[in-house]
PDB file of all heavy atoms in Angstrom:
ATOM      1  N   ALA A   1     103.182 -79.611 -90.067  1.00  0.00           N
ATOM      2  CA  ALA A   1     101.999 -78.772 -90.308  1.00  0.00           C
ATOM      3  C   ALA A   1     102.046 -77.515 -89.455  1.00  0.00           C
ATOM      4  O   ALA A   1     101.204 -76.601 -89.614  1.00  0.00           O
ATOM      5  CB  ALA A   1     100.728 -79.547 -89.945  1.00  0.00           C
ATOM      6  N   GLY A   2     102.972 -77.430 -88.482  1.00  0.00           N
ATOM      7  CA  GLY A   2     103.016 -76.227 -87.635  1.00  0.00           C
ATOM      8  C   GLY A   2     103.053 -76.569 -86.189  1.00  0.00           C
ATOM      9  O   GLY A   2     102.608 -77.652 -85.790  1.00  0.00           O
ATOM     10  N   LYS A   3     103.693 -75.728 -85.376  1.00  0.00           N
ATOM     11  CA  LYS A   3     103.711 -75.990 -83.989  1.00  0.00           C
ATOM     12  C   LYS A   3     102.266 -75.986 -83.366  1.00  0.00           C
ATOM     13  O   LYS A   3     101.484 -75.187 -83.733  1.00  0.00           O
ATOM     14  CB  LYS A   3     104.524 -74.834 -83.251  1.00  0.00           C
ATOM     15  CG  LYS A   3     106.021 -74.939 -83.515  1.00  0.00           C
ATOM     16  CD  LYS A   3     106.669 -73.734 -82.773  1.00  0.00           C
ATOM     17  CE  LYS A   3     108.194 -73.834 -82.943  1.00  0.00           C
ATOM     18  NZ  LYS A   3     108.775 -74.885 -82.176  1.00  0.00           N
ATOM     19  N   PRO A   4     102.063 -76.931 -82.465  1.00  0.00           N
ATOM     20  CA  PRO A   4     100.688 -77.044 -81.883  1.00  0.00           C
ATOM     21  C   PRO A   4     100.099 -75.724 -81.312  1.00  0.00           C
ATOM     22  O   PRO A   4      98.960 -75.435 -81.509  1.00  0.00           O
ATOM     23  CB  PRO A   4     100.864 -78.159 -80.806  1.00  0.00           C
ATOM     24  CG  PRO A   4     102.055 -78.877 -81.217  1.00  0.00           C
ATOM     25  CD  PRO A   4     102.943 -77.961 -81.910  1.00  0.00           C
ATOM     26  N   GLU A   5     101.006 -74.990 -80.659  1.00  0.00           N
ATOM     27  CA  GLU A   5     100.522 -73.725 -80.033  1.00  0.00           C
ATOM     28  C   GLU A   5     100.124 -72.735 -81.121  1.00  0.00           C
ATOM     29  O   GLU A   5      99.215 -71.859 -80.888  1.00  0.00           O
ATOM     30  CB  GLU A   5     101.577 -73.120 -79.092  1.00  0.00           C
ATOM     31  CG  GLU A   5     102.945 -72.818 -79.731  1.00  0.00           C
ATOM     32  CD  GLU A   5     103.948 -74.016 -79.523  1.00  0.00           C
ATOM     33  OE1 GLU A   5     103.542 -75.177 -79.825  1.00  0.00           O
ATOM     34  OE2 GLU A   5     105.044 -73.667 -79.113  1.00  0.00           O
ATOM     35  N   LEU A   6     100.802 -72.723 -82.279  1.00  0.00           N
ATOM     36  CA  LEU A   6     100.411 -71.792 -83.386  1.00  0.00           C
ATOM     37  C   LEU A   6      99.117 -72.334 -84.054  1.00  0.00           C
ATOM     38  O   LEU A   6      98.260 -71.448 -84.399  1.00  0.00           O
ATOM     39  CB  LEU A   6     101.517 -71.734 -84.427  1.00  0.00           C
ATOM     40  CG  LEU A   6     101.226 -70.820 -85.579  1.00  0.00           C
ATOM     41  CD1 LEU A   6     100.742 -69.393 -85.173  1.00  0.00           C
ATOM     42  CD2 LEU A   6     102.413 -70.683 -86.478  1.00  0.00           C
ATOM     43  N   LEU A   7      99.011 -73.552 -84.268  1.00  0.00           N
ATOM     44  CA  LEU A   7      97.756 -74.081 -84.870  1.00  0.00           C
ATOM     45  C   LEU A   7      96.521 -73.746 -83.951  1.00  0.00           C
ATOM     46  O   LEU A   7      95.461 -73.361 -84.467  1.00  0.00           O
ATOM     47  CB  LEU A   7      97.875 -75.608 -84.976  1.00  0.00           C
ATOM     48  CG  LEU A   7      98.953 -76.068 -85.960  1.00  0.00           C
ATOM     49  CD1 LEU A   7      99.050 -77.655 -85.981  1.00  0.00           C
ATOM     50  CD2 LEU A   7      98.700 -75.608 -87.402  1.00  0.00           C
ATOM     51  N   GLU A   8      96.752 -73.860 -82.646  1.00  0.00           N
ATOM     52  CA  GLU A   8      95.702 -73.541 -81.710  1.00  0.00           C
ATOM     53  C   GLU A   8      95.346 -72.000 -81.784  1.00  0.00           C
ATOM     54  O   GLU A   8      94.217 -71.598 -81.755  1.00  0.00           O
ATOM     55  CB  GLU A   8      96.132 -73.873 -80.291  1.00  0.00           C
ATOM     56  CG  GLU A   8      95.119 -73.679 -79.196  1.00  0.00           C
ATOM     57  CD  GLU A   8      94.039 -74.768 -79.262  1.00  0.00           C
ATOM     58  OE1 GLU A   8      94.282 -75.929 -79.604  1.00  0.00           O
ATOM     59  OE2 GLU A   8      92.846 -74.438 -78.946  1.00  0.00           O
ATOM     60  N   ALA A   9      96.398 -71.171 -81.864  1.00  0.00           N
ATOM     61  CA  ALA A   9      96.163 -69.755 -81.921  1.00  0.00           C
ATOM     62  C   ALA A   9      95.419 -69.311 -83.231  1.00  0.00           C
ATOM     63  O   ALA A   9      94.581 -68.480 -83.146  1.00  0.00           O
ATOM     64  CB  ALA A   9      97.563 -69.048 -81.869  1.00  0.00           C
ATOM     65  N   ILE A  10      95.835 -70.012 -84.341  1.00  0.00           N
ATOM     66  CA  ILE A  10      95.141 -69.737 -85.580  1.00  0.00           C
ATOM     67  C   ILE A  10      93.655 -70.137 -85.518  1.00  0.00           C
ATOM     68  O   ILE A  10      92.705 -69.384 -85.913  1.00  0.00           O
ATOM     69  CB  ILE A  10      95.793 -70.396 -86.759  1.00  0.00           C
ATOM     70  CG1 ILE A  10      97.201 -69.808 -87.033  1.00  0.00           C
ATOM     71  CG2 ILE A  10      94.990 -70.241 -88.067  1.00  0.00           C
ATOM     72  CD1 ILE A  10      98.055 -70.657 -87.941  1.00  0.00           C
ATOM     73  N   SER A  11      93.438 -71.277 -84.965  1.00  0.00           N
ATOM     74  CA  SER A  11      92.036 -71.784 -84.753  1.00  0.00           C
ATOM     75  C   SER A  11      91.206 -70.792 -83.936  1.00  0.00           C
ATOM     76  O   SER A  11      90.075 -70.470 -84.316  1.00  0.00           O
ATOM     77  CB  SER A  11      92.092 -73.178 -84.116  1.00  0.00           C
ATOM     78  OG  SER A  11      90.775 -73.641 -83.892  1.00  0.00           O
ATOM     79  N   ASN A  12      91.805 -70.361 -82.852  1.00  0.00           N
ATOM     80  CA  ASN A  12      91.099 -69.392 -81.942  1.00  0.00           C
ATOM     81  C   ASN A  12      90.793 -68.039 -82.656  1.00  0.00           C
ATOM     82  O   ASN A  12      89.692 -67.465 -82.570  1.00  0.00           O
ATOM     83  CB  ASN A  12      91.917 -69.164 -80.672  1.00  0.00           C
ATOM     84  CG  ASN A  12      91.921 -70.325 -79.812  1.00  0.00           C
ATOM     85  OD1 ASN A  12      91.143 -71.210 -79.843  1.00  0.00           O
ATOM     86  ND2 ASN A  12      92.944 -70.401 -78.931  1.00  0.00           N
ATOM     87  N   TYR A  13      91.802 -67.647 -83.509  1.00  0.00           N
ATOM     88  CA  TYR A  13      91.612 -66.375 -84.233  1.00  0.00           C
ATOM     89  C   TYR A  13      90.466 -66.495 -85.248  1.00  0.00           C
ATOM     90  O   TYR A  13      89.599 -65.592 -85.304  1.00  0.00           O
ATOM     91  CB  TYR A  13      92.924 -65.967 -84.916  1.00  0.00           C
ATOM     92  CG  TYR A  13      92.665 -64.971 -85.999  1.00  0.00           C
ATOM     93  CD1 TYR A  13      92.536 -63.663 -85.671  1.00  0.00           C
ATOM     94  CD2 TYR A  13      92.700 -65.311 -87.390  1.00  0.00           C
ATOM     95  CE1 TYR A  13      92.266 -62.647 -86.585  1.00  0.00           C
ATOM     96  CE2 TYR A  13      92.412 -64.338 -88.318  1.00  0.00           C
ATOM     97  CZ  TYR A  13      92.336 -62.980 -87.965  1.00  0.00           C
ATOM     98  OH  TYR A  13      92.062 -62.066 -88.923  1.00  0.00           O
ATOM     99  N   LEU A  14      90.422 -67.484 -85.975  1.00  0.00           N
ATOM    100  CA  LEU A  14      89.344 -67.691 -86.975  1.00  0.00           C
ATOM    101  C   LEU A  14      88.005 -67.876 -86.262  1.00  0.00           C
ATOM    102  O   LEU A  14      86.994 -67.413 -86.807  1.00  0.00           O
ATOM    103  CB  LEU A  14      89.610 -68.885 -87.873  1.00  0.00           C
ATOM    104  CG  LEU A  14      90.902 -68.741 -88.760  1.00  0.00           C
ATOM    105  CD1 LEU A  14      91.248 -70.023 -89.534  1.00  0.00           C
ATOM    106  CD2 LEU A  14      90.646 -67.632 -89.787  1.00  0.00           C
ATOM    107  N   ASP A  15      87.980 -68.561 -85.162  1.00  0.00           N
ATOM    108  CA  ASP A  15      86.788 -68.715 -84.372  1.00  0.00           C
ATOM    109  C   ASP A  15      86.175 -67.346 -84.019  1.00  0.00           C
ATOM    110  O   ASP A  15      85.030 -67.022 -84.150  1.00  0.00           O
ATOM    111  CB  ASP A  15      87.070 -69.491 -83.067  1.00  0.00           C
ATOM    112  CG  ASP A  15      86.215 -70.726 -82.918  1.00  0.00           C
ATOM    113  OD1 ASP A  15      85.094 -70.778 -83.519  1.00  0.00           O
ATOM    114  OD2 ASP A  15      86.664 -71.638 -82.296  1.00  0.00           O
ATOM    115  N   CYS A  16      87.114 -66.443 -83.525  1.00  0.00           N
ATOM    116  CA  CYS A  16      86.598 -65.111 -83.121  1.00  0.00           C
ATOM    117  C   CYS A  16      86.347 -64.208 -84.298  1.00  0.00           C
ATOM    118  O   CYS A  16      85.414 -63.340 -84.189  1.00  0.00           O
ATOM    119  CB  CYS A  16      87.784 -64.472 -82.191  1.00  0.00           C
ATOM    120  SG  CYS A  16      87.940 -65.360 -80.612  1.00  0.00           S
ATOM    121  N   SER A  17      87.157 -64.247 -85.373  1.00  0.00           N
ATOM    122  CA  SER A  17      87.029 -63.246 -86.435  1.00  0.00           C
ATOM    123  C   SER A  17      85.880 -63.601 -87.422  1.00  0.00           C
ATOM    124  O   SER A  17      85.211 -62.690 -87.792  1.00  0.00           O
ATOM    125  CB  SER A  17      88.324 -63.105 -87.127  1.00  0.00           C
ATOM    126  OG  SER A  17      88.713 -64.339 -87.743  1.00  0.00           O
ATOM    127  N   ILE A  18      85.705 -64.845 -87.734  1.00  0.00           N
ATOM    128  CA  ILE A  18      84.652 -65.160 -88.744  1.00  0.00           C
ATOM    129  C   ILE A  18      83.668 -66.168 -88.205  1.00  0.00           C
ATOM    130  O   ILE A  18      82.703 -66.514 -88.881  1.00  0.00           O
ATOM    131  CB  ILE A  18      85.252 -65.717 -90.020  1.00  0.00           C
ATOM    132  CG1 ILE A  18      86.041 -67.015 -89.865  1.00  0.00           C
ATOM    133  CG2 ILE A  18      86.143 -64.662 -90.732  1.00  0.00           C
ATOM    134  CD1 ILE A  18      86.521 -67.682 -91.116  1.00  0.00           C
ATOM    135  N   GLY A  19      83.857 -66.625 -86.980  1.00  0.00           N
ATOM    136  CA  GLY A  19      82.859 -67.501 -86.335  1.00  0.00           C
ATOM    137  C   GLY A  19      82.820 -68.867 -86.920  1.00  0.00           C
ATOM    138  O   GLY A  19      81.849 -69.605 -86.837  1.00  0.00           O
ATOM    139  N   VAL A  20      83.988 -69.331 -87.426  1.00  0.00           N
ATOM    140  CA  VAL A  20      84.141 -70.724 -87.965  1.00  0.00           C
ATOM    141  C   VAL A  20      85.193 -71.473 -87.254  1.00  0.00           C
ATOM    142  O   VAL A  20      86.286 -70.932 -87.098  1.00  0.00           O
ATOM    143  CB  VAL A  20      84.447 -70.729 -89.511  1.00  0.00           C
ATOM    144  CG1 VAL A  20      84.537 -72.080 -90.005  1.00  0.00           C
ATOM    145  CG2 VAL A  20      83.351 -69.927 -90.286  1.00  0.00           C
ATOM    146  N   HIS A  21      84.888 -72.666 -86.751  1.00  0.00           N
ATOM    147  CA  HIS A  21      85.902 -73.453 -86.009  1.00  0.00           C
ATOM    148  C   HIS A  21      86.632 -74.471 -86.925  1.00  0.00           C
ATOM    149  O   HIS A  21      85.975 -75.211 -87.583  1.00  0.00           O
ATOM    150  CB  HIS A  21      85.240 -74.158 -84.882  1.00  0.00           C
ATOM    151  CG  HIS A  21      86.246 -75.003 -84.062  1.00  0.00           C
ATOM    152  ND1 HIS A  21      87.138 -74.394 -83.228  1.00  0.00           N
ATOM    153  CD2 HIS A  21      86.439 -76.346 -83.988  1.00  0.00           C
ATOM    154  CE1 HIS A  21      87.867 -75.384 -82.721  1.00  0.00           C
ATOM    155  NE2 HIS A  21      87.511 -76.521 -83.178  1.00  0.00           N
ATOM    156  N   TYR A  22      87.985 -74.310 -86.898  1.00  0.00           N
ATOM    157  CA  TYR A  22      88.797 -75.301 -87.587  1.00  0.00           C
ATOM    158  C   TYR A  22      89.626 -76.024 -86.518  1.00  0.00           C
ATOM    159  O   TYR A  22      90.232 -75.467 -85.645  1.00  0.00           O
ATOM    160  CB  TYR A  22      89.741 -74.602 -88.567  1.00  0.00           C
ATOM    161  CG  TYR A  22      89.105 -74.050 -89.787  1.00  0.00           C
ATOM    162  CD1 TYR A  22      88.661 -72.745 -89.870  1.00  0.00           C
ATOM    163  CD2 TYR A  22      88.818 -74.812 -90.884  1.00  0.00           C
ATOM    164  CE1 TYR A  22      88.085 -72.206 -90.989  1.00  0.00           C
ATOM    165  CE2 TYR A  22      88.207 -74.393 -92.035  1.00  0.00           C
ATOM    166  CZ  TYR A  22      87.835 -73.056 -92.063  1.00  0.00           C
ATOM    167  OH  TYR A  22      87.184 -72.570 -93.194  1.00  0.00           O
ATOM    168  N   ASP A  23      89.579 -77.417 -86.592  1.00  0.00           N
ATOM    169  CA  ASP A  23      90.288 -78.205 -85.697  1.00  0.00           C
ATOM    170  C   ASP A  23      91.799 -78.041 -85.906  1.00  0.00           C
ATOM    171  O   ASP A  23      92.295 -78.277 -86.960  1.00  0.00           O
ATOM    172  CB  ASP A  23      89.922 -79.659 -85.924  1.00  0.00           C
ATOM    173  CG  ASP A  23      90.523 -80.600 -84.978  1.00  0.00           C
ATOM    174  OD1 ASP A  23      91.440 -80.194 -84.109  1.00  0.00           O
ATOM    175  OD2 ASP A  23      90.219 -81.827 -84.934  1.00  0.00           O
ATOM    176  N   PRO A  24      92.496 -77.540 -84.877  1.00  0.00           N
ATOM    177  CA  PRO A  24      93.925 -77.303 -85.042  1.00  0.00           C
ATOM    178  C   PRO A  24      94.752 -78.532 -85.327  1.00  0.00           C
ATOM    179  O   PRO A  24      95.782 -78.482 -85.943  1.00  0.00           O
ATOM    180  CB  PRO A  24      94.384 -76.631 -83.697  1.00  0.00           C
ATOM    181  CG  PRO A  24      93.258 -77.078 -82.740  1.00  0.00           C
ATOM    182  CD  PRO A  24      92.011 -77.139 -83.495  1.00  0.00           C
ATOM    183  N   LYS A  25      94.158 -79.696 -84.916  1.00  0.00           N
ATOM    184  CA  LYS A  25      94.906 -80.955 -85.131  1.00  0.00           C
ATOM    185  C   LYS A  25      94.809 -81.488 -86.589  1.00  0.00           C
ATOM    186  O   LYS A  25      95.642 -82.286 -86.999  1.00  0.00           O
ATOM    187  CB  LYS A  25      94.448 -81.968 -84.113  1.00  0.00           C
ATOM    188  CG  LYS A  25      94.769 -81.708 -82.701  1.00  0.00           C
ATOM    189  CD  LYS A  25      94.290 -82.750 -81.683  1.00  0.00           C
ATOM    190  CE  LYS A  25      94.593 -82.399 -80.306  1.00  0.00           C
ATOM    191  NZ  LYS A  25      94.090 -83.392 -79.335  1.00  0.00           N
ATOM    192  N   SER A  26      93.713 -81.059 -87.294  1.00  0.00           N
ATOM    193  CA  SER A  26      93.553 -81.732 -88.609  1.00  0.00           C
ATOM    194  C   SER A  26      93.059 -80.791 -89.743  1.00  0.00           C
ATOM    195  O   SER A  26      92.988 -81.218 -90.857  1.00  0.00           O
ATOM    196  CB  SER A  26      92.441 -82.825 -88.426  1.00  0.00           C
ATOM    197  OG  SER A  26      91.274 -82.242 -88.024  1.00  0.00           O
ATOM    198  N   GLU A  27      92.809 -79.537 -89.411  1.00  0.00           N
ATOM    199  CA  GLU A  27      92.261 -78.634 -90.452  1.00  0.00           C
ATOM    200  C   GLU A  27      92.989 -77.316 -90.707  1.00  0.00           C
ATOM    201  O   GLU A  27      92.532 -76.402 -91.360  1.00  0.00           O
ATOM    202  CB  GLU A  27      90.752 -78.363 -90.031  1.00  0.00           C
ATOM    203  CG  GLU A  27      89.931 -79.638 -90.015  1.00  0.00           C
ATOM    204  CD  GLU A  27      88.540 -79.347 -89.583  1.00  0.00           C
ATOM    205  OE1 GLU A  27      88.194 -78.348 -88.898  1.00  0.00           O
ATOM    206  OE2 GLU A  27      87.640 -80.179 -89.879  1.00  0.00           O
ATOM    207  N   ILE A  28      94.254 -77.248 -90.154  1.00  0.00           N
ATOM    208  CA  ILE A  28      95.038 -76.034 -90.392  1.00  0.00           C
ATOM    209  C   ILE A  28      96.465 -76.437 -90.736  1.00  0.00           C
ATOM    210  O   ILE A  28      96.947 -77.428 -90.208  1.00  0.00           O
ATOM    211  CB  ILE A  28      95.065 -75.173 -89.101  1.00  0.00           C
ATOM    212  CG1 ILE A  28      93.619 -74.631 -88.767  1.00  0.00           C
ATOM    213  CG2 ILE A  28      95.960 -73.946 -89.292  1.00  0.00           C
ATOM    214  CD1 ILE A  28      93.483 -74.003 -87.482  1.00  0.00           C
TER     215      ILE A  28
END
């Protein structure tokens, strides 16, 4: 599903850009 550090980075980006939190462990 992707490297953990990238999943975390994507989650943080979406949190900041659209204000929606996606769990990096199960939703990306």
Side-chain angles (χ1 to χ4, degrees):
K3 288 179 176 288
E5 57 267 48
L6 178 53
L7 298 174
E8 186 74 32
I10 293 168
S11 177
N12 291 337
Y13 165 75
L14 293 174
D15 237 334
C16 293
S17 62
I18 62 172
V20 180
H21 179 72
Y22 288 95
D23 183 354
K25 295 181 180 179
S26 61
E27 295 177 338
I28 299 172

